[in-house]
């Protein structure tokens, strides 16, 4: 009953917030395909949270399709080639648009040009973890241990948040560790827990159950503030890496040329649901925080992040092809 009440309340908020001009344009006139750039993850969860109220308000569903690969580029390219009518969208970590155009030099498209930001859905963190066989309990102990031992670290792929967070850490400490990229965080987690790789920078909700059970050692989170689901872990800055901060965004984008009224309607639709108390609580339980933003604000943030990460990619000489 509570879920039904929530859907009806969220649908009412959604329907009353969306610009009426979109109805005149006949949008949405069919199911809206939301292509995820990664394997099933919190990206899917966010879309599913919005789907119920979206269907109730617009009589059309949000259909999720996971198309992982090449750091999110496969999904991004597919969306850039779709009709710009608001019926095909990309949901992804923002690195697809802020980092990949500089990390991958042979792309046939530019995500930061060929895609239009609709809304930032959430902010998220990575957590530095190690296998319990590595004799460290703090970041400073890891730094000391890594200076005399060959270590490797796992991430969910080239150019994804875990890769970037790790390279920032290595640059700040002057350490060398071998990067082992995987096809998604869950594959990386399996090898990390099995001891095939010693450390990893992975999504906080993915690793924290294993940290709490003692199967992994949690050292620090990458954000400027402690995570609400990992309050016992310090930030990297608190752990001694001065000035370190790596926060990433989960972003909804549409093909370039999508009518501004449709982009605005999508922004309002997702925003109306994500500000509902029940949704906010569910997202915070996954270490995801939504801050309301307009398409213009989303675009401005995306371009700021692109400029920031361009400096990091160039300084570290990172390449993925």
């Amino acid at each position: 009953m509570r879920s039904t009440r929530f859907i009806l309340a969220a649908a009412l908020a959604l329907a009353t917030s969306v610009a009426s001009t979109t109805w005149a344009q006949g949008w949405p006139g069919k199911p809206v395909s939301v292509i995820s750039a990664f394997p099933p993850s919190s990206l899917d969860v966010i879309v599913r949270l919005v789907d119920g109220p979206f269907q109730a308000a617009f009589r059309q569903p949000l259909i999720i399709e996971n198309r992982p690969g090449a750091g999110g580029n496969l999904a991004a390219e597919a969306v850039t080639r779709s009709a710009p009518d608001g019926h095909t969208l990309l949901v992804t970590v923002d690195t697809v648009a802020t980092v990949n155009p500089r990390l991958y030099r042979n792309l046939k498209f530019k995500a930061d040009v060929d895609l239009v930001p609709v809304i930032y859905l959430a902010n998220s963190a990575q957590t530095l973890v190690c296998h319990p066989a590595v004799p460290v309990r703090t970041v400073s102990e890891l730094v000391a241990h890594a200076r005399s031992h060959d270590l490797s670290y796992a991430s969910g792929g080239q150019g994804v948040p875990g890769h970037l967070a790790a390279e920032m850490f290595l640059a700040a400490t002057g350490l060398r560790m071998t990067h082992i990229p995987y096809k998604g965080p869950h594959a990386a987690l399996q090898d990390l827990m099995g001891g095939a790789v010693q450390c990893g920078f992975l999504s906080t909700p993915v690793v924290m159950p294993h940290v709490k059970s003692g199967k992994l050692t949690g050292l620090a989170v990458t954000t400027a503030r402690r995570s609400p689901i990992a309050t016992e872990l310090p930030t990297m800055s608190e752990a001694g890496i001065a000035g370190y901060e790596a926060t990433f965004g989960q972003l909804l984008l549409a093909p370039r040329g999508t009518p501004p009224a449709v982009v605005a309607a999508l922004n309002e639709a997702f925003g109306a649901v994500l500000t509902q108390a029940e949704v906010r609580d569910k997202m915070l339980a996954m270490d995801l925080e939504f801050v309301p933003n307009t398409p213009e604000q989303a675009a401005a943030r995306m371009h700021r992040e692109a400029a920031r990460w361009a400096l990091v990619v160039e300084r570290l000489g990172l390449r993925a092809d």
Side-chain angles (χ1 to χ4, degrees):
M1 180 66 70
R2 181 186 178 194
S3 178
T4 301
R5 287 199 301 268
F6 156 69
I7 290 176
L8 292 175
L12 178 61
L14 188 160
T16 56
S17 71
V18 173
S20 61
T21 54
T22 60
W23 293 92
Q25 294 174 347
W27 179 90
K30 59 182 179 180
V32 176
S33 175
V34 183
I35 299 179
S36 173
F38 296 94
S41 66
S42 58
L43 293 169
D44 304 59
V45 175
I46 294 173
V47 175
R48 289 194 179 96
L49 287 172
V50 176
D51 178 49
F54 190 93
Q55 286 197 54
F58 296 117
R59 302 294 187 265
Q60 296 291 351
L62 300 172
I63 306 297
I64 303 171
E65 177 187 348
N66 296 95
R67 200 176 296 186
N73 291 327
L74 295 182
E77 184 171 10
V79 175
T80 64
R81 294 179 175 178
S82 65
D85 58 6
H87 292 100
T88 304
L89 308 172
L90 175 70
V91 64
T92 182
V93 178
D94 61 357
T95 51
V96 167
T98 61
V99 176
N100 287 10
R102 292 142 191 93
L103 193 65
Y104 294 83
R105 297 303 178 92
N106 298 316
L107 295 176
K108 298 178 181 178
F109 69 99
K110 291 186 176 181
D112 54 344
V113 174
D114 297 326
L115 294 169
V116 177
V118 173
I119 189 170
Y120 264 92
L121 302 169
N123 298 319
S124 61
Q126 300 287 296
T127 296
L128 170 57
V129 292
C130 292
H131 188 275
V134 181
V136 301
R137 292 294 179 269
T138 66
V139 171
S140 59
E141 289 179 358
L142 174 62
V143 171
H145 183 72
R147 295 202 188 283
S148 57
H149 295 79
D150 292 330
L151 299 179
S152 58
Y153 77 88
S155 80
Q158 294 278 13
V160 303
H163 179 203
L164 298 168
E167 292 298 331
M168 285 182 63
F169 168 69
L170 296 178
T173 56
L175 297 176
R176 289 181 178 272
M177 296 174 68
T178 302
H179 178 212
I180 310 296
Y182 289 82
K183 293 183 178 180
H186 294 286
L189 176 67
Q190 289 179 357
D191 267 12
L192 176 56
M193 292 180 63
V197 60
Q198 287 79 46
C199 299
F201 279 78
L202 297 169
S203 171
T204 305
V206 169
V207 299
M208 281 312 297
H210 307 291
V211 171
K212 293 181 184 297
S213 70
K215 295 178 181 178
L216 290 175
T217 302
L219 301 183
V221 296
T222 64
T223 42
R225 295 181 298 174
R226 293 196 180 200
S227 165
I229 64 170
T231 55
E232 66 271 33
L233 296 184
T235 66
M236 293 288 282
S237 183
E238 289 174 334
I241 312 301
Y244 183 104
E245 186 269 326
T247 300
F248 302 92
Q250 302 193 350
L251 182 60
L252 187 72
L253 302 109
R256 182 178 60 179
T258 300
V262 173
V263 172
L266 282 163
N267 177 282
E268 293 167 5
F270 274 75
V273 177
L274 296 180
T275 52
Q276 295 290 307
E278 185 171 331
V279 172
R280 184 173 62 250
D281 291 344
K282 289 180 179 179
M283 290 181 61
L284 287 175
M286 296 185 292
D287 195 37
L288 300 172
E289 179 186 18
F290 171 66
V291 177
N293 59 104
T294 65
E296 294 76 18
Q297 290 169 332
R301 175 180 171 181
M302 189 182 83
H303 291 304
R304 285 196 307 271
E305 291 296 309
R308 173 195 178 196
W309 287 113
L311 295 175
V312 174
V313 169
E314 290 303 319
R315 185 175 73 246
L316 300 180
L318 300 179
R319 296 290 183 272
D321 56 10

